[in-house]
mmCIF file of all heavy atoms in Angstrom:
data_model
loop_
_atom_site.group_PDB
_atom_site.id
_atom_site.type_symbol
_atom_site.label_atom_id
_atom_site.label_comp_id
_atom_site.label_asym_id
_atom_site.label_seq_id
_atom_site.Cartn_x
_atom_site.Cartn_y
_atom_site.Cartn_z
ATOM 1 N N GLY A 1349 13.410 -10.014 4.333
ATOM 2 C CA GLY A 1349 12.006 -9.725 4.604
ATOM 3 C C GLY A 1349 11.107 -10.549 3.724
ATOM 4 O O GLY A 1349 11.393 -11.718 3.455
ATOM 5 N N ASN A 1350 10.015 -9.990 3.300
ATOM 6 C CA ASN A 1350 9.126 -10.678 2.383
ATOM 7 C C ASN A 1350 9.546 -10.418 0.933
ATOM 8 O O ASN A 1350 10.012 -9.342 0.587
ATOM 9 C CB ASN A 1350 7.687 -10.193 2.596
ATOM 10 C CG ASN A 1350 7.136 -10.656 3.922
ATOM 11 O OD1 ASN A 1350 7.287 -11.826 4.291
ATOM 12 N ND2 ASN A 1350 6.518 -9.756 4.647
ATOM 13 N N PRO A 1351 9.352 -11.397 0.061
ATOM 14 C CA PRO A 1351 9.872 -11.271 -1.287
ATOM 15 C C PRO A 1351 8.859 -10.833 -2.326
ATOM 16 O O PRO A 1351 7.663 -11.120 -2.194
ATOM 17 C CB PRO A 1351 10.313 -12.691 -1.597
ATOM 18 C CG PRO A 1351 9.269 -13.528 -0.911
ATOM 19 C CD PRO A 1351 8.901 -12.781 0.350
ATOM 20 N N TYR A 1352 9.357 -10.151 -3.336
ATOM 21 C CA TYR A 1352 8.682 -10.072 -4.621
ATOM 22 C C TYR A 1352 9.459 -11.069 -5.505
ATOM 23 O O TYR A 1352 10.684 -11.056 -5.537
ATOM 24 C CB TYR A 1352 8.803 -8.690 -5.249
ATOM 25 C CG TYR A 1352 8.027 -7.595 -4.555
ATOM 26 C CD1 TYR A 1352 8.569 -6.324 -4.452
ATOM 27 C CD2 TYR A 1352 6.765 -7.810 -4.026
ATOM 28 C CE1 TYR A 1352 7.865 -5.269 -3.840
ATOM 29 C CE2 TYR A 1352 6.059 -6.771 -3.418
ATOM 30 C CZ TYR A 1352 6.627 -5.520 -3.318
ATOM 31 O OH TYR A 1352 5.935 -4.493 -2.716
ATOM 32 N N LEU A 1353 8.748 -11.883 -6.244
ATOM 33 C CA LEU A 1353 9.384 -12.937 -7.035
ATOM 34 C C LEU A 1353 8.930 -12.855 -8.491
ATOM 35 O O LEU A 1353 7.759 -12.574 -8.773
ATOM 36 C CB LEU A 1353 9.049 -14.320 -6.454
ATOM 37 C CG LEU A 1353 9.659 -14.591 -5.087
ATOM 38 C CD1 LEU A 1353 8.864 -15.632 -4.340
ATOM 39 C CD2 LEU A 1353 11.113 -15.051 -5.267
ATOM 40 N N PHE A 1354 9.850 -13.153 -9.399
ATOM 41 C CA PHE A 1354 9.586 -12.988 -10.815
ATOM 42 C C PHE A 1354 10.167 -14.181 -11.594
ATOM 43 O O PHE A 1354 11.166 -14.759 -11.194
ATOM 44 C CB PHE A 1354 10.274 -11.717 -11.359
ATOM 45 C CG PHE A 1354 9.875 -10.458 -10.644
ATOM 46 C CD1 PHE A 1354 10.478 -10.115 -9.443
ATOM 47 C CD2 PHE A 1354 8.920 -9.627 -11.162
ATOM 48 C CE1 PHE A 1354 10.123 -8.965 -8.765
ATOM 49 C CE2 PHE A 1354 8.547 -8.463 -10.500
ATOM 50 C CZ PHE A 1354 9.159 -8.129 -9.309
ATOM 51 N N TRP A 1355 9.535 -14.459 -12.734
ATOM 52 C CA TRP A 1355 10.125 -15.333 -13.726
ATOM 53 C C TRP A 1355 10.188 -14.570 -15.049
ATOM 54 O O TRP A 1355 9.227 -13.932 -15.467
ATOM 55 C CB TRP A 1355 9.317 -16.609 -13.905
ATOM 56 C CG TRP A 1355 9.638 -17.679 -12.928
ATOM 57 C CD1 TRP A 1355 8.923 -18.044 -11.823
ATOM 58 C CD2 TRP A 1355 10.774 -18.566 -12.966
ATOM 59 N NE1 TRP A 1355 9.541 -19.076 -11.150
ATOM 60 C CE2 TRP A 1355 10.691 -19.415 -11.839
ATOM 61 C CE3 TRP A 1355 11.864 -18.717 -13.837
ATOM 62 C CZ2 TRP A 1355 11.638 -20.404 -11.570
ATOM 63 C CZ3 TRP A 1355 12.802 -19.690 -13.572
ATOM 64 C CH2 TRP A 1355 12.680 -20.530 -12.449
ATOM 65 N N TYR A 1356 11.378 -14.698 -15.698
ATOM 66 C CA TYR A 1356 11.587 -14.138 -17.018
ATOM 67 C C TYR A 1356 12.034 -15.265 -17.931
ATOM 68 O O TYR A 1356 12.658 -16.229 -17.515
ATOM 69 C CB TYR A 1356 12.671 -13.073 -16.998
ATOM 70 C CG TYR A 1356 12.261 -11.752 -16.387
ATOM 71 C CD1 TYR A 1356 12.319 -11.560 -15.001
ATOM 72 C CD2 TYR A 1356 11.835 -10.681 -17.175
ATOM 73 C CE1 TYR A 1356 11.939 -10.336 -14.446
ATOM 74 C CE2 TYR A 1356 11.463 -9.469 -16.636
ATOM 75 C CZ TYR A 1356 11.529 -9.307 -15.265
ATOM 76 O OH TYR A 1356 11.152 -8.114 -14.704
ATOM 77 N N VAL A 1357 11.753 -15.093 -19.235
ATOM 78 C CA VAL A 1357 12.191 -16.054 -20.244
ATOM 79 C C VAL A 1357 13.023 -15.317 -21.282
ATOM 80 O O VAL A 1357 12.729 -14.157 -21.628
ATOM 81 C CB VAL A 1357 11.000 -16.789 -20.901
ATOM 82 C CG1 VAL A 1357 10.043 -15.796 -21.571
ATOM 83 C CG2 VAL A 1357 11.483 -17.838 -21.887
ATOM 84 N N GLN A 1358 14.064 -15.994 -21.750
ATOM 85 C CA GLN A 1358 14.910 -15.412 -22.789
ATOM 86 C C GLN A 1358 14.992 -16.361 -23.969
ATOM 87 O O GLN A 1358 15.548 -17.467 -23.837
ATOM 88 C CB GLN A 1358 16.320 -15.130 -22.235
ATOM 89 C CG GLN A 1358 17.227 -14.453 -23.244
ATOM 90 C CD GLN A 1358 18.626 -14.239 -22.674
ATOM 91 O OE1 GLN A 1358 19.059 -14.887 -21.729
ATOM 92 N NE2 GLN A 1358 19.345 -13.320 -23.256
ATOM 93 N N TYR A 1359 14.464 -15.939 -25.085
ATOM 94 C CA TYR A 1359 14.575 -16.703 -26.329
ATOM 95 C C TYR A 1359 15.874 -16.301 -27.024
ATOM 96 O O TYR A 1359 16.386 -15.199 -26.792
ATOM 97 C CB TYR A 1359 13.374 -16.460 -27.205
ATOM 98 C CG TYR A 1359 12.082 -16.944 -26.588
ATOM 99 C CD1 TYR A 1359 11.195 -16.034 -26.027
ATOM 100 C CD2 TYR A 1359 11.765 -18.298 -26.509
ATOM 101 C CE1 TYR A 1359 10.020 -16.458 -25.419
ATOM 102 C CE2 TYR A 1359 10.605 -18.721 -25.926
ATOM 103 C CZ TYR A 1359 9.724 -17.800 -25.366
ATOM 104 O OH TYR A 1359 8.587 -18.247 -24.771
ATOM 105 N N PRO A 1360 16.411 -17.134 -27.896
ATOM 106 C CA PRO A 1360 17.671 -16.843 -28.560
ATOM 107 C C PRO A 1360 17.663 -15.466 -29.236
ATOM 108 O O PRO A 1360 16.710 -15.087 -29.907
ATOM 109 C CB PRO A 1360 17.796 -17.965 -29.593
ATOM 110 C CG PRO A 1360 17.041 -19.086 -28.978
ATOM 111 C CD PRO A 1360 15.883 -18.465 -28.266
ATOM 112 N N ASN A 1361 18.720 -14.725 -28.996
ATOM 113 C CA ASN A 1361 18.920 -13.405 -29.613
ATOM 114 C C ASN A 1361 17.839 -12.399 -29.229
ATOM 115 O O ASN A 1361 17.565 -11.448 -29.968
ATOM 116 C CB ASN A 1361 18.975 -13.531 -31.137
ATOM 117 C CG ASN A 1361 20.124 -14.408 -31.588
ATOM 118 O OD1 ASN A 1361 21.247 -14.294 -31.106
ATOM 119 N ND2 ASN A 1361 19.840 -15.309 -32.498
ATOM 120 N N ARG A 1362 17.238 -12.622 -28.087
ATOM 121 C CA ARG A 1362 16.208 -11.691 -27.590
ATOM 122 C C ARG A 1362 16.529 -11.282 -26.166
ATOM 123 O O ARG A 1362 17.280 -11.946 -25.442
ATOM 124 C CB ARG A 1362 14.829 -12.381 -27.625
ATOM 125 C CG ARG A 1362 14.369 -12.833 -28.983
ATOM 126 C CD ARG A 1362 13.951 -11.674 -29.844
ATOM 127 N NE ARG A 1362 12.823 -10.960 -29.275
ATOM 128 C CZ ARG A 1362 11.564 -11.319 -29.443
ATOM 129 N NH1 ARG A 1362 11.257 -12.381 -30.130
ATOM 130 N NH2 ARG A 1362 10.583 -10.607 -28.908
ATOM 131 N N GLY A 1363 15.948 -10.190 -25.751
ATOM 132 C CA GLY A 1363 16.056 -9.790 -24.360
ATOM 133 C C GLY A 1363 15.135 -10.608 -23.478
ATOM 134 O O GLY A 1363 14.417 -11.476 -23.954
ATOM 135 N N LEU A 1364 15.179 -10.355 -22.212
ATOM 136 C CA LEU A 1364 14.340 -11.097 -21.280
ATOM 137 C C LEU A 1364 12.895 -10.601 -21.376
ATOM 138 O O LEU A 1364 12.639 -9.397 -21.479
ATOM 139 C CB LEU A 1364 14.816 -10.896 -19.833
ATOM 140 C CG LEU A 1364 15.953 -11.811 -19.376
ATOM 141 C CD1 LEU A 1364 17.250 -11.470 -20.056
ATOM 142 C CD2 LEU A 1364 16.091 -11.754 -17.858
ATOM 143 N N GLN A 1365 11.984 -11.555 -21.322
ATOM 144 C CA GLN A 1365 10.566 -11.209 -21.333
ATOM 145 C C GLN A 1365 9.942 -11.628 -20.024
ATOM 146 O O GLN A 1365 10.188 -12.744 -19.531
ATOM 147 C CB GLN A 1365 9.860 -11.934 -22.479
ATOM 148 C CG GLN A 1365 10.343 -11.542 -23.852
ATOM 149 C CD GLN A 1365 9.635 -12.335 -24.932
ATOM 150 O OE1 GLN A 1365 8.485 -12.751 -24.769
ATOM 151 N NE2 GLN A 1365 10.299 -12.527 -26.062
ATOM 152 N N PHE A 1366 9.106 -10.785 -19.480
ATOM 153 C CA PHE A 1366 8.423 -11.075 -18.222
ATOM 154 C C PHE A 1366 7.406 -12.174 -18.421
ATOM 155 O O PHE A 1366 6.634 -12.177 -19.380
ATOM 156 C CB PHE A 1366 7.752 -9.788 -17.773
ATOM 157 C CG PHE A 1366 6.816 -9.929 -16.617
ATOM 158 C CD1 PHE A 1366 7.296 -10.005 -15.325
ATOM 159 C CD2 PHE A 1366 5.456 -9.991 -16.808
ATOM 160 C CE1 PHE A 1366 6.437 -10.130 -14.255
ATOM 161 C CE2 PHE A 1366 4.581 -10.105 -15.757
ATOM 162 C CZ PHE A 1366 5.075 -10.185 -14.466
ATOM 163 N N LEU A 1367 7.406 -13.168 -17.494
ATOM 164 C CA LEU A 1367 6.435 -14.238 -17.530
ATOM 165 C C LEU A 1367 5.360 -14.069 -16.469
ATOM 166 O O LEU A 1367 4.170 -14.176 -16.751
ATOM 167 C CB LEU A 1367 7.108 -15.587 -17.297
ATOM 168 C CG LEU A 1367 7.644 -16.371 -18.480
ATOM 169 C CD1 LEU A 1367 8.229 -17.679 -18.011
ATOM 170 C CD2 LEU A 1367 6.558 -16.605 -19.504
ATOM 171 N N LEU A 1368 5.806 -13.892 -15.238
ATOM 172 C CA LEU A 1368 4.844 -13.775 -14.136
ATOM 173 C C LEU A 1368 5.559 -13.249 -12.887
ATOM 174 O O LEU A 1368 6.786 -13.211 -12.852
ATOM 175 C CB LEU A 1368 4.182 -15.113 -13.838
ATOM 176 C CG LEU A 1368 5.052 -16.329 -13.648
ATOM 177 C CD1 LEU A 1368 5.670 -16.377 -12.254
ATOM 178 C CD2 LEU A 1368 4.247 -17.616 -13.889
ATOM 179 N N LYS A 1369 4.763 -12.879 -11.918
ATOM 180 C CA LYS A 1369 5.340 -12.354 -10.665
ATOM 181 C C LYS A 1369 4.433 -12.709 -9.496
ATOM 182 O O LYS A 1369 3.222 -12.885 -9.654
ATOM 183 C CB LYS A 1369 5.487 -10.834 -10.762
ATOM 184 C CG LYS A 1369 4.174 -10.076 -10.852
ATOM 185 C CD LYS A 1369 4.407 -8.591 -11.076
ATOM 186 C CE LYS A 1369 3.068 -7.860 -11.265
ATOM 187 N NZ LYS A 1369 3.255 -6.493 -11.766
ATOM 188 N N TYR A 1370 5.048 -12.819 -8.340
ATOM 189 C CA TYR A 1370 4.316 -12.948 -7.094
ATOM 190 C C TYR A 1370 4.620 -11.686 -6.280
ATOM 191 O O TYR A 1370 5.763 -11.387 -5.992
ATOM 192 C CB TYR A 1370 4.745 -14.184 -6.318
ATOM 193 C CG TYR A 1370 4.157 -14.189 -4.920
ATOM 194 C CD1 TYR A 1370 2.838 -14.589 -4.722
ATOM 195 C CD2 TYR A 1370 4.908 -13.739 -3.834
ATOM 196 C CE1 TYR A 1370 2.287 -14.560 -3.458
ATOM 197 C CE2 TYR A 1370 4.357 -13.716 -2.568
ATOM 198 C CZ TYR A 1370 3.049 -14.120 -2.380
ATOM 199 O OH TYR A 1370 2.482 -14.074 -1.134
ATOM 200 N N ILE A 1371 3.534 -10.996 -5.927
ATOM 201 C CA ILE A 1371 3.687 -9.821 -5.091
ATOM 202 C C ILE A 1371 3.037 -10.066 -3.736
ATOM 203 O O ILE A 1371 3.637 -9.889 -2.687
ATOM 204 C CB ILE A 1371 3.052 -8.583 -5.755
ATOM 205 C CG1 ILE A 1371 3.690 -8.354 -7.126
ATOM 206 C CG2 ILE A 1371 3.198 -7.357 -4.874
ATOM 207 C CD1 ILE A 1371 5.176 -8.114 -7.076
ATOM 208 N N THR A 1372 1.806 -10.517 -3.762
ATOM 209 C CA THR A 1372 1.071 -10.846 -2.536
ATOM 210 C C THR A 1372 -0.170 -11.635 -2.935
ATOM 211 O O THR A 1372 -0.467 -11.779 -4.111
ATOM 212 C CB THR A 1372 0.661 -9.544 -1.793
ATOM 213 O OG1 THR A 1372 0.137 -9.891 -0.517
ATOM 214 C CG2 THR A 1372 -0.365 -8.783 -2.568
ATOM 215 N N GLY A 1373 -0.831 -12.216 -1.934
ATOM 216 C CA GLY A 1373 -2.103 -12.891 -2.235
ATOM 217 C C GLY A 1373 -1.929 -14.357 -2.515
ATOM 218 O O GLY A 1373 -1.128 -15.051 -1.879
ATOM 219 N N ASP A 1374 -2.672 -14.860 -3.479
ATOM 220 C CA ASP A 1374 -2.724 -16.275 -3.796
ATOM 221 C C ASP A 1374 -1.320 -16.806 -4.119
ATOM 222 O O ASP A 1374 -0.586 -16.194 -4.906
ATOM 223 C CB ASP A 1374 -3.636 -16.488 -5.016
ATOM 224 C CG ASP A 1374 -4.014 -17.944 -5.202
ATOM 225 O OD1 ASP A 1374 -3.344 -18.819 -4.623
ATOM 226 O OD2 ASP A 1374 -4.954 -18.203 -5.969
ATOM 227 N N ASN A 1375 -1.007 -17.932 -3.524
ATOM 228 C CA ASN A 1375 0.343 -18.497 -3.717
ATOM 229 C C ASN A 1375 0.560 -19.036 -5.119
ATOM 230 O O ASN A 1375 1.698 -19.182 -5.547
ATOM 231 C CB ASN A 1375 0.600 -19.599 -2.682
ATOM 232 C CG ASN A 1375 0.772 -19.058 -1.286
ATOM 233 O OD1 ASN A 1375 1.005 -17.845 -1.112
ATOM 234 N ND2 ASN A 1375 0.655 -19.905 -0.319
#
Side-chain angles (χ1 to χ4, degrees):
Chain A
N1350 291 314
Y1352 291 142
L1353 292 155
F1354 304 82
W1355 276 102
Y1356 285 84
V1357 59
Q1358 183 182 21
Y1359 297 103
N1361 300 314
R1362 300 286 297 276
L1364 276 70
Q1365 297 178 28
F1366 171 79
L1367 270 182
L1368 50 80
K1369 66 186 176 192
Y1370 171 79
I1371 303 300
T1372 189
D1374 194 345
N1375 289 343

